[in-house]
């Protein structure tokens, strides 16, 4: 059975790698097939973050590969060393988790200090995060990291959390996006259980809030956050915050919050320089177990200068092209993948220009486009934005999704299809799209 199982698992992995190369990580090679019994394929994982990554991001792809390879309906379970059954797992993780299930924080296993490339653009932010992870509440408190989208704020903050957790597994770390904080607060208000809410936020050792600019114009949440902040600060608990701009430039943020944020260290992450971009590409390639030649790496680093997420998108694209052929990454292939021979007519149009055009035409806010609301008044402009981004820019679907609140590529694809359809059947939509395209490309 052992060898058969290893064979099956190997086939599943290869299929997955081909079909979902962007999700593939080199540590998949270390996953260990334990048993295939009663339709359950058990896979041994070495770290909790691996399990989370696999079950949250890869389960669809892996299950469908497993079903095709075995010809049976198969469910995949992941087991840490020492766990015998799924029930054991639930029990162990219940014991290990300090906060209740809804607050189990998902940390991306890619987002560690080891995988973070340090350069002039992020040196200070990195040093501060390392210091904080070594002695939380003592060095820089609060630590405020700002920079535009895709420059590594989430990565470096999660790295600090993961390092802290390793150093001190018992410490209570609450990492969440500001949007979650606000939603949680609104729910608590509605249900009248502010006590629980406050208990949850004020009795932690480290509170990390990502994208605090989301507090804009939410007076009551700001007020609540102010008190949360004070309570933690007074008990010398560490607070780490990120935003897309420095405290004083976040629109409609109360002065008292601005001054609290400025009490600690405010540090910025800039666009990475060429050498840092090269190093990041090497790092991302290694994570996926690929080894592109240096000329391809520098070719990508030269062409993609805006942000790191797009850099990664370009690598994914090149790799995707390679997987369609013999798997070899060459300059010629990179050129093809990044469309150098056929730079689209409108390569000068940027996603921000598209967003500007849409927000003013529909009178919606950027935060709506990036938010979760699905009402037609928001969803329709959002879909048009994604459609135009696909038509007029060279960004990949993944990158486009990243600009709209981190939606995944299937959502972007769906949006584009929807607008395509509408254009075919509704002359009004077609006219609107035509006029937007005309004004963006004139
Ligand atoms: P932000 O939160 O600032 O929008 P993210 O943290 O989501 O950005 O980073 C976007 C992508 O870029 C992630 O995949 C992240 O791993 C990568 N990244 C950014 N900066 C670095 C870096 N210095 N080294 C390695 N990867 C990086
Ligand atoms: Mg982020």
């Amino acid at each position: 059975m052992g060898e058969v199982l290893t064979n099956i698992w190997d086939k599943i992995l290869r299929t997955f790698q081909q079909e979902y190369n962007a999700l593939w990580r080199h540590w998949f090679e270390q996953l260990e097939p334990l048993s295939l019994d009663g339709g359950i394929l058990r896979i041994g994982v070495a770290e909790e973050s691996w399990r989370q990554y696999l079950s949250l991001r890869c389960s669809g792809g892996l299950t469908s590969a497993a079903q095709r390879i075995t010809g049976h309906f198969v469910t995949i379970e992941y087991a840490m060393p020492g766990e015998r059954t799924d029930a054991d797992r639930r029990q162990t993780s219940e014991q290990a988790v300090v906060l209740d299930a809804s607050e189990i924080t998902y940390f991306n296993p890619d987002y560690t200090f080891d995988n973070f490339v340090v350069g002039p653009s992020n040196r200070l932010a990195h040093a501060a995060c390392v210091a904080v992870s070594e002695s939380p509440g003592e060095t820089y408190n609060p630590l405020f990291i700002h920079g535009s989208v895709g420059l590594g704020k989430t990565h470096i903050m999660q790295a600090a959390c993961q390092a802290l957790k390793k150093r001190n597994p018992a410490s209570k770390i609450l990492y969440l996006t500001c949007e979650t904080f606000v939603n949680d607060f609104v729910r608590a208000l509605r249900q009248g259980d502010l006590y629980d809410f406050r208990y949850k936020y004020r009795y932690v050792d480290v509170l990390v809030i990502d994208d605090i600019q989301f507090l804009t114009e939410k007076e009551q949440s700001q007020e609540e956050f102010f008190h949360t902040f004070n309570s933690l600060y007074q008990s010398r608990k560490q607070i780490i915050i990120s935003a897309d701009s420095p405290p004083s430039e976040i629109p409609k943020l109360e002065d008292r919050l601005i001054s609290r944020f400025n009490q600690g260290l405010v540090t910025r992450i800039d666009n990475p320089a060429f050498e840092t971009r090269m190093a990041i590409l090497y790092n991302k390639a290694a994570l996926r177990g690929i080894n592109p030649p240096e000329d391809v790496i520098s070719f990508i680093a030269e062409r993609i200068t805006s942000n790191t997420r797009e850099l990664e998108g370009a690598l994914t694209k090149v790799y995707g092209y390679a997987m369609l052929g013999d798997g070899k990454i060459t300059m010629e292939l990179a050129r093809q993948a990044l469309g150098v021979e056929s730079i689209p007519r409108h390569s000068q149009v940027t996603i921000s220009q598209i967003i500007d055009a849409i927000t003013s035409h529909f009178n919606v806010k950027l935060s709506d486009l990036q938010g979760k609301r699905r009402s037609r008044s928001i969803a329709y402009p959002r879909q048009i934005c994604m459609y135009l981004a696909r038509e007029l820019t060279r960004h990949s679907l993944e990158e486009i999704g990243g600009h709209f609140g981190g939606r995944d590529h299937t959502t972007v694809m769906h949006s584009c299809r929807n607008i395509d359809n509408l254009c075919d059947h509704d002359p009004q939509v077609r006219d609107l799209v035509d006029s937007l395209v005309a004004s963006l490309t004139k």
Side-chain angles (χ1 to χ4, degrees):
M1 177 74 187
E3 204 173 313
V4 176
L5 183 60
T6 311
N7 260 333
I8 292 178
W9 176 239
D10 199 51
K11 281 197 189 126
I12 296 175
L13 275 188
R14 295 310 136 214
T15 310
F16 180 84
Q17 185 176 18
Q18 288 223 331
E19 292 174 358
Y20 297 87
N21 66 70
L23 292 176
W24 172 266
R25 293 294 176 271
H26 68 88
W27 49 261
F28 282 24
E29 304 287 0
Q30 292 172 51
L31 298 170
E32 190 193 352
L34 301 174
S35 61
L36 176 57
D37 193 17
I40 296 179
L41 173 60
R42 291 173 54 74
I43 301 298
V45 295
E47 308 213 4
E48 179 59 32
S49 61
W50 292 6
R51 165 155 60 204
Q52 291 183 344
Y53 181 88
L54 290 165
S55 45
L56 289 172
R57 303 187 59 185
C58 312
S59 65
L62 281 174
T63 319
S64 101
Q67 291 180 4
R68 269 173 291 148
I69 305 274
T70 61
H72 295 289
F73 187 81
V74 175
T75 319
I76 305 185
E77 271 182 21
Y78 305 100
M80 294 273 282
E83 285 175 4
R84 282 177 309 272
T85 64
D86 205 35
D88 281 355
R89 174 177 99 59
R90 275 191 291 274
Q91 213 179 11
T92 2
S93 54
E94 266 159 30
Q95 284 159 358
V97 166
V98 205
L99 301 152
D100 73 60
S102 58
E103 281 89 48
I104 298 174
T105 312
Y106 164 62
F107 291 124
N108 187 327
D110 292 353
Y111 292 177
T112 59
F113 283 137
D114 282 349
N115 291 335
F116 192 80
V117 175
V118 183
S121 55
N122 56 32
R123 196 176 301 286
L124 190 58
H126 173 262
C129 281
V130 171
V132 158
S133 72
E134 285 170 357
S135 40
E138 285 171 22
T139 38
Y140 307 114
N141 205 16
L143 171 59
F144 190 103
I145 301 171
H146 65 95
S148 54
V149 67
L151 294 184
K153 302 181 295 295
T154 299
H155 183 143
I156 193 81
M157 292 203 302
Q158 290 205 3
C161 294
Q162 302 202 62
L164 249 160
K165 198 83 197 158
K166 253 198 183 129
R167 189 175 274 268
N168 181 3
S171 70
K172 294 187 196 173
I173 302 174
L174 191 50
Y175 165 94
L176 67 172
T177 63
C178 184
E179 191 179 355
T180 310
F181 177 86
V182 170
N183 292 342
D184 212 16
F185 174 60
V186 170
R187 191 176 336 112
L189 265 186
R190 216 177 32 224
Q191 295 172 350
D193 59 4
L194 275 176
Y195 179 84
D196 283 353
F197 174 89
R198 290 183 178 144
Y199 183 84
K200 172 174 139 190
Y201 284 94
R202 296 183 191 181
Y203 290 88
V204 295
D205 300 314
V206 181
L207 177 67
V208 186
I209 305 260
D210 207 348
D211 290 326
I212 197 88
Q213 71 273 6
F214 195 78
L215 274 185
T216 296
E217 291 183 2
K218 305 191 176 63
E219 293 87 8
Q220 256 185 308
S221 300
Q222 288 196 24
E223 165 98 25
E224 184 63 30
F225 185 74
F226 179 74
H227 296 301
T228 306
F229 183 100
N230 286 341
S231 154
L232 289 168
Y233 185 75
Q234 276 155 15
S235 29
R236 300 174 63 106
K237 304 296 188 192
Q238 180 69 45
I239 302 155
I240 312 177
I241 293 163
S242 81
D244 61 359
S245 47
S248 56
E249 287 172 26
I250 298 176
K252 306 234 166 89
L253 190 66
E254 287 179 23
D255 286 343
R256 56 183 183 167
L257 269 176
I258 297 176
S259 81
R260 284 293 186 276
F261 294 163
N262 282 325
Q263 268 166 13
L265 178 70
V266 176
T267 169
R268 190 170 81 190
I269 302 191
D270 288 308
N271 272 340
F274 176 72
E275 293 74 12
T276 314
R277 296 201 297 277
M278 292 264 298
I280 292 176
L281 283 166
Y282 273 121
N283 178 290
K284 296 290 175 197
L287 263 181
R288 296 180 189 183
I290 50 177
N291 188 11
E294 185 179 346
D295 54 350
V296 169
I297 295 274
S298 76
F299 173 75
I300 302 176
E302 260 164 30
R303 292 181 49 78
I304 313 282
T305 53
S306 47
N307 78 44
T308 312
R309 192 170 289 148
E310 286 170 18
L311 210 55
E312 216 179 335
L315 181 68
T316 304
K317 216 175 200 169
V318 173
Y319 185 44
Y321 264 61
M323 294 304 275
L324 290 176
D326 61 2
K328 254 181 92 177
I329 297 179
T330 60
M331 260 315 264
E332 165 143 4
L333 192 110
R335 278 218 183 81
Q336 250 179 6
L338 300 188
V340 176
E341 253 79 51
S342 56
I343 297 177
R345 280 171 299 145
H346 313 303
S347 56
Q348 73 278 21
V349 178
T350 64
I351 294 193
S352 331
Q353 286 168 330
I354 295 174
I355 290 176
D356 285 347
I358 295 293
T359 46
S360 68
H361 179 88
F362 287 97
N363 200 17
V364 291
K365 291 192 289 259
L366 172 60
S367 56
D368 288 330
L369 295 177
Q370 293 177 329
K372 288 232 156 49
R373 284 172 54 197
R374 294 211 195 140
S375 59
R376 188 179 146 82
S377 62
I378 304 292
Y380 176 56
R382 187 188 289 137
Q383 292 190 341
I384 297 221
C385 263
M386 294 185 189
Y387 174 85
L388 291 174
R390 189 199 62 179
E391 292 293 299
L392 302 179
T393 74
R394 269 171 307 175
H395 295 299
S396 67
L397 298 177
E398 241 180 353
E399 290 161 6
I400 294 172
H403 279 84
F404 296 94
R407 291 179 154 77
D408 68 10
H409 71 281
T410 49
T411 311
V412 179
M413 217 149 64
H414 169 78
S415 302
C416 293
R417 237 182 260 141
N418 196 26
I419 300 298
D420 265 334
N421 251 334
L422 284 172
C423 282
D424 286 346
H425 297 106
D426 184 339
Q428 254 180 328
V429 178
R430 196 171 50 230
D431 287 349
L432 170 65
V433 168
D434 285 348
S435 78
L436 285 166
V437 170
S439 75
L440 281 161
T441 53
K442 74 168 177 273

